[in-house]
């Protein structure tokens, strides 16, 4: 499993066929996290399944080529999603009680341990945070 030599393009006519060809002309379909923001293309459900948002072609191709629906990945994302839901629900309750200090501490925890750039499955956690209503969290 994995990418191996797969490099899907939206338009095969743009494929660079020699070292002298301009690769910037290629209409690549795989998301490159060093260049692209994957979050507009990928979404998640409460069970940890990944999906292409709005049937996004880059999202679809990336999910397929990198086999992002593997059970191990789904289960790990499900755990992070459940943690994020629990923390956001606690933050909501603390906010309603007026405990700004505790809310701030939880916000730091989320940023450092769950949604930060170096956190595993942060994209799933950030998706929950941006779309709490999809996960049963009242705004």
């Amino acid at each position: 499993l994995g990418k191996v030599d797969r490099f899907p393009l939206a338009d095969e006519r743009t494929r660079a066929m020699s070292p002298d060809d301009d690769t910037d002309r290629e209409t690549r379909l795989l998301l490159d996290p060093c260049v692209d923001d994957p979050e507009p293309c990928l979404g998640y459900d409460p069970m940890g399944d990944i999906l292409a948002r709005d049937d996004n072609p880059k999202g679809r191709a990336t999910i397929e080529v990198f086999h992002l629906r593997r059970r191990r990945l789904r289960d790990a994302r499900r755990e992070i999603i459940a943690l994020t839901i629990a923390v956001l629900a606690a933050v909501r309750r603390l906010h309603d009680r007026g405990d700004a200090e505790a809310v701030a501490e939880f916000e730091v925890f989320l940023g450092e341990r769950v949604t930060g750039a170096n956190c595993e499955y942060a994209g799933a956690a950030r998706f929950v945070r941006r779309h709490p209503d999809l996960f049963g969290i009242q705004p």
Side-chain angles (χ1 to χ4, degrees), residues 53-120:
R53 294 189 66 195
D54 301 320
D55 206 28
N56 183 284
K58 281 188 173 185
R60 279 194 330 262
T62 299
I63 290 167
E64 177 191 335
V65 170
F66 294 120
H67 303 280
L68 298 180
R69 288 197 171 111
R70 292 184 305 242
R71 182 179 6 183
R72 180 182 63 78
L73 296 176
R74 183 201 62 221
D75 292 349
R77 287 189 301 257
R78 182 174 44 225
E79 288 181 27
I80 291 298
I81 288 168
L83 172 66
T84 306
I85 290 169
V87 171
L88 290 177
V91 165
R92 185 78 207 139
R93 288 189 303 275
L94 291 166
H95 179 272
D96 290 347
R97 292 182 196 155
D99 192 343
E101 187 176 324
V103 168
E105 289 177 20
F106 271 109
E107 291 291 341
V108 169
F109 170 79
L110 278 171
E112 291 178 354
R113 303 291 182 169
V114 183
T115 62
N118 294 323
C119 298
E120 284 189 305

Side-chain angles (χ1 to χ4, degrees), residues 14-28:
T14 65
R15 185 174 298 281
M17 299 301 285
S18 76
D20 297 327
D21 289 346
D22 183 8
T23 57
D24 290 335
R25 288 189 56 239
E26 293 183 326
T27 51
R28 63 185 168 78

